[in-house]
Amino acid sequence: MAAGDAALIKKINRSLIINEIVKHEAISRANLSKVTKLTRATISAQVADLIEEQLVVEKEIEYNLVGRKPTMLSLNAEAGYALGIDLERNQLTFVVTDLLGSPVSVDVMRCDCTNYADTLRLLIAQISSYQQQYNGRRYGLIGIVISVHGLVSSDEMIHFIPRLDWHQAPLKQDLQAALGVEVHIDNNANLSAYAERVFVHHPTKNLISVSLYSGIGMGMIVNDQYFSGHDGFAGEIGHMIVVPAGKPCECGNQGCWEKYASETIVFEALSKLYPDQKLDYTFILQQVEQGDQRLADVMEQYIYYLTIGLNNVINIYNPDVVVLDSGLLRIYPDALNKIKAGLRSRISHYHGLYISELGRTSCTLGACAKSIQQFLDIPALSLPYHAALSLPAAAPEYTLSSSME
């Protein structure tokens, strides 16, 4: 066997072993041999290397029977840390997780500037502080992934961020030049879809996640891989026309889906009904509990247009799992059943329709998960669901003001 072939086989076996250790959280050498179908000698040699590299640790479990206590293998979650960043207008969110995706640090920074150079300086300063903080760990920061709410090309160039008015912004290149480390840029909807797959919907290989906040974006996992289109711009489903000659959209068309079924549109409608109120989820929940019919009418209209677009999405993509990411849907009574009732087409096929429990933090969790998968070099990643749940609740997502588009 050629040396190159032997090295490739060793790399494949290593990836297979790490993948099973992560999936099982704790597994013995004997069971690892069974599930991977690798010989015990191969398992022993590979595990010895992983322990020496401090990537895997051994733990004895409680054992009440006669004989030797079983020794279990687990990923050393504290060997390295992933940094996920959500770049929004007026706010930067930084989440650091360990190698099992459990958040260890969450920082939200108000950023009232939209200027590219100023934002770049803020990012460089904050990322540098994380590098210093985790420098003492075995692998330090194992990856940095930034979520942006706009078009990102396949070479990770920011093509356009509408709410920041950034065009052709070389954020990846500028950060790498300043920090001396690899940085990745991705669309927020893609990362949210990935988080749903990694933390919640482990078995599926085909998932669509629809984000319904300031606009509408869609992330797609097809055969356990991103589907991003020729240039990386796939998923701009918010600009699917659902009302011919309807409301004008910033994209240049009329009647786009996000002009009828995004949360921005709901809050704009509510601002006319409640002009003197601070509009946020807390207020809406209070009105729901009080049986406010005006609010109910707005929400029913929102769900009506949501189902129109969703019907199209399901018929086009025939997904296994569909996840809707919306704070409004999470608090509105019986929202999921109302949506399902509106999907009347007998040719629509999907196996599961869910409202996301990860919420606005899903894109940063997805960013961290993407770093972890790249670092571990495994084909598919499944992380414990409680890791996502340990993230603190996000700040109020909407306060209607002059800065809101």
Side-chain angles (χ1 to χ4, degrees), residues 71-381:
T71 301
M72 308 299 281
L73 303 169
S74 299
L75 190 73
N76 182 7
E78 298 178 357
Y81 295 87
L83 174 59
I85 303 171
D86 187 24
L87 174 59
E88 294 185 272
R89 178 174 178 168
N90 301 328
Q91 182 171 292
L92 297 171
T93 302
F94 301 83
V95 174
V96 177
T97 73
D98 64 21
L99 293 184
L100 286 174
S102 182
V104 298
S105 170
V106 181
D107 296 300
V108 179
M109 177 186 295
R110 295 297 300 174
C111 177
D112 294 327
C113 62
T114 58
N115 179 272
Y116 175 76
D118 291 339
T119 305
L120 178 63
R121 281 192 289 271
L122 283 173
L123 286 169
I124 291 171
Q126 191 68 12
I127 293 171
S128 296
S129 71
Y130 287 119
Q131 287 179 305
Q132 294 172 11
Q133 182 178 350
Y134 294 99
N135 189 45
R137 303 293 180 162
R138 176 65 175 86
Y139 294 98
L141 282 184
I142 55 96
I144 301 166
V145 176
I146 300 177
S147 159
V148 299
H149 299 242
L151 297 177
V152 180
S153 63
S154 52
D155 62 358
E156 299 184 44
M157 171 71 77
I158 296 175
H159 179 68
F160 179 46
I161 301 180
R163 303 195 84 199
L164 296 176
D165 197 29
W166 289 6
H167 300 262
Q168 303 302 324
L171 186 61
K172 175 185 174 77
Q173 294 87 338
D174 289 344
L175 285 174
Q176 290 183 160
L179 298 166
V181 295
E182 191 171 10
V183 175
H184 291 283
I185 312 290
D186 208 338
N187 172 267
N188 69 300
N190 286 341
L191 293 171
S192 291
Y194 189 58
E196 296 290 346
R197 159 64 183 82
V198 168
F199 288 99
V200 186
H201 302 284
H202 297 162
T204 185
K205 293 185 177 181
N206 297 281
L207 177 147
I208 284 176
S209 175
V210 183
S211 177
L212 298 159
Y213 295 102
S214 57
I216 298 180
M218 183 172 72
M220 292 172 280
I221 304 293
V222 179
N223 293 326
D224 254 343
Q225 301 291 326
Y226 278 147
F227 178 79
S228 55
H230 177 67
D231 292 316
F233 300 154
E236 291 299 317
I237 201 71
H239 299 288
M240 167 179 61
I241 295 173
V242 295
V243 179
K247 298 177 184 178
C249 180
E250 291 81 359
C251 76
N253 280 325
Q254 292 178 270
C256 290
W257 192 24
E258 68 178 41
K259 287 298 175 183
Y260 296 85
S262 65
E263 291 199 358
T264 295
I265 298 305
V266 173
F267 278 87
E268 286 179 357
L270 294 178
S271 69
K272 297 173 183 176
L273 297 176
Y274 312 96
D276 300 323
Q277 288 287 343
K278 176 185 176 182
L279 296 177
D280 56 19
Y281 292 147
T282 301
F283 171 77
I284 289 175
L285 187 56
Q286 290 172 347
Q287 299 306 113
V288 167
E289 291 171 347
Q290 293 172 13
D292 188 325
Q293 188 58 47
R294 293 187 301 170
L295 185 139
D297 290 342
V298 172
M299 286 299 300
E300 293 300 320
Q301 185 83 337
Y302 168 53
I303 289 174
Y304 169 73
Y305 282 111
L306 176 58
T307 57
I308 289 176
L310 197 56
N311 181 77
N312 296 339
V313 168
I314 290 170
N315 284 335
I316 292 169
Y317 293 103
N318 180 214
D320 177 23
V321 170
V322 181
V323 182
L324 304 176
D325 189 0
S326 163
L328 288 174
L329 295 180
R330 278 191 290 276
I331 64 174
Y332 193 65
D334 208 29
L336 191 59
N337 286 331
K338 290 176 185 291
I339 293 167
K340 289 179 178 178
L343 298 173
R344 302 187 186 93
S345 174
R346 287 179 289 179
I347 64 170
S348 291
H349 290 283
Y350 62 93
H351 289 163
L353 178 64
Y354 306 92
I355 296 173
S356 172
E357 295 182 29
L358 301 181
R360 293 293 292 270
T361 53
S362 61
C363 59
T364 45
L365 286 171
C368 292
K370 184 175 180 179
S371 288
I372 293 168
Q373 182 181 13
Q374 290 172 343
F375 172 72
L376 296 178
D377 193 18
I378 57 179
L381 185 66

